[in-house]
Amino acid sequence: MGGKLAKVKSIIGLGGPEYRTGLVLSGGGARGFAHAGALKALEEMGIRPDILAGVSAGSVAAVMYAAGISPERMLELFLNARFSDFCELGIPKDGFFSLDRFRAFLRKNIPYANLEDLPIPVTVGATDLDNGKKIAFTSGRLDEVVAASCSIPIVFKPIRVNGIRCVDGGVLHNLPAWTIRDKCKYLIAVNCSPLTKTTVKNTLIDIAFRSYELMAKTNTVPDTEICDIVIRTDEIARYKAFNLKQIRQVYESGYRDTMNFLLANGFRRPGTAATELSTTDRQ
């Protein structure tokens, strides 16, 4: 009965996805600045998402974009920053670093206190550490849920949200397409977590992050398969995940990879022959 009802609704124009174009952004540490470059390329091609989802660095880019912060401004905000500007070394009981400074940075630079207040809907993916479950936040204190999504285990202390300890969403789903797939007609993904062979330093933090990268590579496969378009920023593989000194290069690489992908797949800038996802065709 349910299937027949859905079919009837579809025929008469009822039901179906609430949004036309969705954009999902992966985790990736400092490599996440590729998302800002990707957003710039998408804008230039006339593609603006109606709904976004992100994990870790992807959640930062998603909420900033939804708040009206341009890709260029995102880069400016972080350009002269250091790792210590966003985190503070603490007693390594449940993690080496606290993200309190990062949360203060978000509160200062994003003019919205709650996730549900953003002009463009955003879903933030995180991991419920206590119950071993994936979480999709669509409301709540913006700085809190984004920090939770960025809390790589061991490196950063877990963030409590509604009494539950949460860690980085990339632990279970580094590309949170599952959170908005049923809400949009088209779903574009940008994956800025390329995995390459590398010599891992024999330190706790380096080993922890490499382990996280290995998990993320595996758990993105199911989410990749449910996206309509997947843009990979493989060029940034040579940049370190915690190195903020090279974010301009990462940003530019994200722009180039995205623009090259779109042009190679038939997308055109507004004013030329348009694709179905262009703004002239959006509802």
Side-chain angles (χ1 to χ4, degrees):
M1 181 64 181
K4 291 181 179 179
L5 181 59
K7 186 175 181 179
V8 171
K9 285 184 176 181
S10 177
I11 292 172
I12 63 176
L14 298 176
E18 184 178 357
Y19 303 99
R20 183 170 180 77
T21 305
L23 179 64
V24 56
L25 306 176
S26 75
R31 295 171 183 162
F33 285 97
H35 289 316
L39 284 163
K40 178 176 172 60
L42 289 167
E43 280 191 344
E44 290 184 4
M45 299 300 275
I47 301 171
R48 296 177 182 269
D50 303 301
I51 184 172
L52 299 105
V55 151
S56 199
S59 73
V60 179
V63 298
M64 285 191 164
Y65 186 79
I69 299 172
S70 70
E72 294 89 347
R73 179 57 180 159
M74 292 182 207
L75 178 63
E76 290 174 5
L77 287 171
F78 289 90
L79 199 55
N80 297 312
R82 298 172 298 176
F83 183 73
S84 59
D85 292 335
F86 303 114
C87 57
E88 184 176 9
L89 184 64
I91 300 173
K93 178 182 178 181
D94 52 359
F96 281 95
F97 298 96
S98 162
L99 285 173
D100 289 347
R101 292 177 181 173
F102 176 60
R103 293 178 64 174
F105 168 83
L106 294 175
R107 291 193 297 270
K108 177 182 177 181
N109 291 286
I110 298 178
Y112 297 92
N114 299 308
L115 195 61
E116 65 270 26
D117 297 334
L118 292 168
I120 302 174
V122 176
T123 298
V124 172
T127 301
D128 178 341
L129 182 64
D130 296 319
N131 299 297
K133 298 179 180 179
K134 59 189 179 184
I135 303 176
F137 290 111
T138 56
S139 62
R141 286 174 50 190
L142 190 147
D143 68 296
E144 184 175 70
V145 298
V146 172
S149 184
C150 294
S151 297
I152 299 173
I154 300 177
V155 179
F156 300 115
K157 297 177 181 295
I159 303 292
R160 285 191 177 272
V161 182
N162 299 324
I164 297 173
R165 290 183 301 166
C166 297
V167 295
D168 197 298
V171 171
L172 294 180
H173 286 268
N174 197 47
L175 188 71
W178 68 275
T179 64
I180 60 172
R181 172 66 277 187
D182 63 343
K183 297 180 180 180
C184 51
K185 183 176 181 180
Y186 302 107
L187 184 57
I188 303 170
V190 180
N191 186 358
C192 69
S193 293
L195 185 68
T196 59
K197 292 183 179 179
T198 185
T199 300
V200 181
K201 292 181 180 179
N202 194 29
T203 68
L204 187 58
I205 290 179
D206 284 295
I207 291 172
F209 190 77
R210 181 59 173 179
S211 300
Y212 169 84
E213 286 184 316
L214 293 169
M215 286 189 300
K217 178 177 175 60
T218 302
N219 70 37
T220 57
V221 174
D223 286 288
T224 297
E225 292 176 346
I226 62 174
C227 295
D228 299 299
I229 295 173
V230 179
I231 300 168
R232 294 179 174 85
T233 57
D234 293 337
E235 187 182 332
I236 65 173
R238 65 181 182 273
Y239 300 115
K240 295 185 179 298
F242 288 136
N243 187 353
L244 293 177
K245 295 180 180 179
Q246 297 174 311
I247 61 173
R248 181 179 292 279
Q249 293 94 313
V250 173
Y251 170 88
E252 292 171 352
S253 292
Y255 174 83
R256 283 194 302 271
D257 283 345
T258 302
M259 185 61 75
N260 289 339
F261 175 92
L262 294 172
L263 291 173
N265 285 275
F267 288 81
R268 296 291 180 267
R269 286 182 171 85
T272 61
T275 63
E276 191 176 7
L277 288 181
S278 71
T279 51
T280 57
D281 187 52
R282 287 173 54 193
Q283 295 176 340

